[in-house]
Amino acid sequence: MTTTATAPASRVGSVLSSFIKARETGILLALVLIVVVTTAKNPNFLFSNDGFRDLLLTPSILLLVAVGQAIVIITRNVDLSVGSVLGLTAYLTGRLFIDIPGIPIIVVFLAGLVFGGLLGLINGALVAFAKVPALVITLGTLYAYRGINVLWTGSDRINASDMPKPFLALGTQSILFIPVLTIIAVVVLIVAGWYMRNQRGGRELYAIGSDPDAANLYGLGVTRRVLVAFVVCGALAGLAGVLYAARYGTVNSQAGSGFELEAVGAAVIGGVAIFGGSGTVWGAAIGAYLLFTINRALPILGVQDFWQRAVVGVLIIGAIVLDRLLALRQTRKLVEARDSE
Amino acid sequence: MTSSLTGAPASTRSYKDYSRPLWQRVLLTREGAVYAALIIVIVGATVSVRNFGSPITMTYLLLDVTPILLIALPMTLVIITGEIDLSVASVVGLSSVTLGTLHQAGLPIEAAGAVAIVVGALAGALNGFLITVVGLPSLAVTIGTLALYRGLAVGLLGTTAVTDFTEFWTDLAKSKIGSTGVPSVMILFVILLVVFAIVLHFTPFGRGIFAIGLSPEAARFSGIHVERTKFILFVLSGTISAVAGIFYTLRFGSARGDNATGLELSVIAAVLLGGVSIFGGRGALHGVIAGVLLIGVLGSALRLANVTSDVINIITGTLLVASVVSTSVLAWLRTARARPGGTNRAPSATTKS
């Protein structure tokens, strides 16, 4: 939505200027600033082996969930159940390894994706057909899915010893210094970003979020598109659940609780407007990185990490205030342009 | 404005349907359904679950749901205006920590409590300011302040807790009225309930709240101070949440930054279950009280019946989804029946065009 003008005369210049004007640039700069300042204070933050790996690795799981969340929010909905979906698929992952010895890892990944997608389909079907706000429906399924998780898990928990070594290695391994989880997350991000920007389906999601009634009158398949958005969001949360199991090795019934607010927070900080129609999955991804990087940076900067949530709160509020100011300026400019004609 | 185009939201918004006979209008409402469910659950639990009917069960049940009952009052009003406040549980934590740290610093508990309530009001005022003056969506603002207030609470106390409250106050929070088994805190709740009910249902201010929820533009043109009303409601929400935070702290004798984490979801679930429309413009306090009690009674009965306490999550969630979906299904059935030519036609007019 932000970058559409491309003059053939100076393509490099226009790309550059649209990059500077893009909503995501601001928070990317904030992220870079935090990394630079923290590294200046303690070089290990970036330049030690573990530091560099953690910087990329820790936010990868949230990145996947935030991308799905951004797609749903762009359609003017919200999915509060992602944390519960993540928890359920994380436990499913462990159960599959225990119950079916020797199951191929790829099958487990597919199972997580499909199961998460099914849970998303339930959300989407309830939202799209009952015409009830997603906030209410997914608040309900947030409880219901978590309850099912607790019922299924009980006081049981999955331990690292229950899962095969190659699978756990995925959680920590790197290829060319880049953690595998990060590569998976970035591939998903690139596909989602490309689809949302260039494909008809993606553009229609923006149209639906901008004005659902107009999209309906125009004949866009609103029901189907919204359904797909929820399925994608659920599937990504499911994938995140599988990666969660690989990364942390232990899964109990509370895995991923509270994750929904982190995901919505990441999207909002990344410039996805909560009432739909604007923002990008790139922004949501940078938001996810910003959230978790701050978490790690605060103790190094001499702030107790208890304050992390407060900082996140300020960031969310700051981001939406900035959005509001930019929107007001845009309106004023458009009015001026109209009046001068 | 927009609802006339799609049809479906208009039908969920229909406030009073005078084409139906009086008994249907009274009994076949959302509130009526919640009451029926509540009575069935109470009777069923008393008959089938041992010890459920005892006064001690009732005492604990009421003590457990008191914070939800209290916060549900302002939340109902906020949601009727079409807004939402997700930060209430964080304000509970913030007021708890304020009370604890000030008390630890030597302030008498009355003064510390007063400061905690002021802090809650200020927290609500910040929400109100961002929403009404800056013009931001309440969902986004209160997700931000949810994190901010919780962060301040946890940041102030860390993982430590203040527990040295005098027994007089902790006993008072748990005390009962005479030999009835009803907690004395219910007196406070009933007073607040009466005040809120009168304000919402019998004053111009209350009618304004409904009007704002139905259409902010129309409300503004009819001379209602939309922004001022919303601002007052958010301050109220913060204030009552702080009161609930003080009760919560004294009841458990422990001030912690992470007190009542996640309570906002229970409150909102109860309010919506009680028949308040998330679109705004529709709802009643008595339905909300029934909704809170329904969730509380179900949880209490299941715990006594040795069902793991978390099964309540499934039931709460399913109840919430079923209750909102049933409204849509009923509305669809009614329009399908009203349409000439039969009942079995798909609602193609609303889904495709």
Side-chain angles (χ1 to χ4, degrees), chain A residues 6-122:
Chain A
T6 44
S10 62
R11 288 213 44 184
V12 179
S14 78
V15 166
L16 201 68
S17 81
S18 64
F19 176 76
I20 291 168
K21 280 185 199 148
R23 180 68 184 73
E24 291 75 21
T25 312
I27 79 144
L28 187 62
L29 285 178
L31 177 61
V32 172
L33 192 72
I34 289 172
V35 174
V36 168
V37 169
T38 316
T39 310
K41 183 119 182 184
N42 181 355
N44 281 339
F45 183 70
L46 183 60
F47 292 119
S48 72
N49 255 340
D50 279 354
F52 181 67
R53 200 194 64 183
D54 282 355
L55 185 72
L56 292 177
L57 186 57
T58 317
S60 299
I61 293 170
L62 178 60
L63 189 155
L64 286 172
V65 183
V67 165
Q69 188 69 256
I71 294 175
V72 169
I73 294 179
I74 282 168
T75 66
R76 202 182 276 197
N77 287 293
V78 71
D79 187 350
L80 292 181
S81 73
V82 285
S84 303
V85 173
L86 187 151
L88 263 176
T89 45
Y91 189 71
L92 173 81
T93 304
R95 273 267 57 103
L96 284 176
F97 282 123
I98 294 173
D99 294 340
I100 313 170
I103 184 171
I105 290 173
I106 185 77
V107 175
V108 174
F109 267 85
L110 286 176
L113 270 172
V114 171
F115 188 58
L118 280 176
L119 295 174
L121 182 67
I122 296 175

Side-chain angles (χ1 to χ4, degrees), chain B residues 19 39 51 69 71 81 85 94 103 118 132 137 141 155 165 238 243 246 270 288 292 295 299 325 343 352:
Chain B
S19 62
I39 292 168
N51 294 335
L69 279 174
I71 302 174
T81 65
D85 187 352
L94 190 57
H103 183 59
V118 171
T132 60
V141 166
F165 295 104
V243 173
I246 294 169
V288 171
V292 178
I295 291 181
V325 170
T343 57
K352 284 176 207 158

Side-chain angles (χ1 to χ4, degrees), chain A residues 126 130 132-133 135-136 139-140 142-143 147-148 150-151 213 216 261 264 274-275 306-307 309-310 313-314 317 320-321 324, chain B residues 2 6 84 134-137 143-148 151 155 158 265-266 268 272 278-279 310-311 313-314 317 321 324 328 353:
Chain A
L126 286 168
V132 179
L135 183 72
V136 185
L139 179 62
L142 159 88
Y143 280 111
I148 293 168
V150 173
L151 202 63
D213 291 331
N216 210 356
L261 290 174
V264 176
I274 197 90
F275 286 134
F306 298 131
W307 294 98
R309 287 191 75 88
V314 170
I317 296 168
I320 53 176
V321 168
R324 173 78 181 158
Chain B
T2 50
T6 52
I84 199 160
V134 187
L136 299 169
I143 282 179
T145 52
L146 168 107
L148 173 62
L265 297 180
S266 314
I268 292 166
L272 298 178
I278 191 81
F279 295 110
D310 293 282
V311 172
N313 277 353
I314 304 183
V321 171
V324 289
S328 311
S353 57

Side-chain angles (χ1 to χ4, degrees), chain A residues 68-226:
Chain A
Q69 188 69 256
I71 294 175
V72 169
I73 294 179
I74 282 168
T75 66
R76 202 182 276 197
N77 287 293
V78 71
D79 187 350
L80 292 181
S81 73
V82 285
S84 303
V85 173
L86 187 151
L88 263 176
T89 45
Y91 189 71
L92 173 81
T93 304
R95 273 267 57 103
L96 284 176
F97 282 123
I98 294 173
D99 294 340
I100 313 170
I103 184 171
I105 290 173
I106 185 77
V107 175
V108 174
F109 267 85
L110 286 176
L113 270 172
V114 171
F115 188 58
L118 280 176
L119 295 174
L121 182 67
I122 296 175
N123 287 335
L126 286 168
V127 171
F129 292 116
K131 307 243 186 280
V132 179
L135 183 72
V136 185
I137 294 290
T138 56
L139 179 62
T141 53
L142 159 88
Y143 280 111
Y145 295 165
R146 179 65 64 190
I148 293 168
N149 194 356
V150 173
L151 202 63
W152 190 21
T153 320
S155 54
D156 187 25
R157 64 190 251 166
I158 307 285
N159 293 308
S161 56
D162 297 328
M163 291 182 278
K165 287 227 164 56
F167 178 70
L168 291 170
L170 278 178
T172 45
Q173 230 168 28
S174 298
I175 297 172
L176 290 173
F177 304 111
I178 300 176
V180 177
L181 295 197
T182 309
I183 295 174
I184 296 175
V186 169
V187 167
V188 168
L189 173 64
I190 290 173
V191 171
W194 170 80
Y195 184 82
M196 293 297 284
R197 195 182 184 301
N198 298 325
Q199 288 305 104
R200 186 193 171 91
R203 302 320 300 174
E204 287 191 5
L205 292 179
Y206 282 98
I208 291 166
S210 296
D211 192 338
D213 291 331
N216 210 356
L217 283 176
Y218 191 69
L220 302 184
V222 176
T223 308
R224 186 169 56 98
R225 294 279 179 216
V226 169

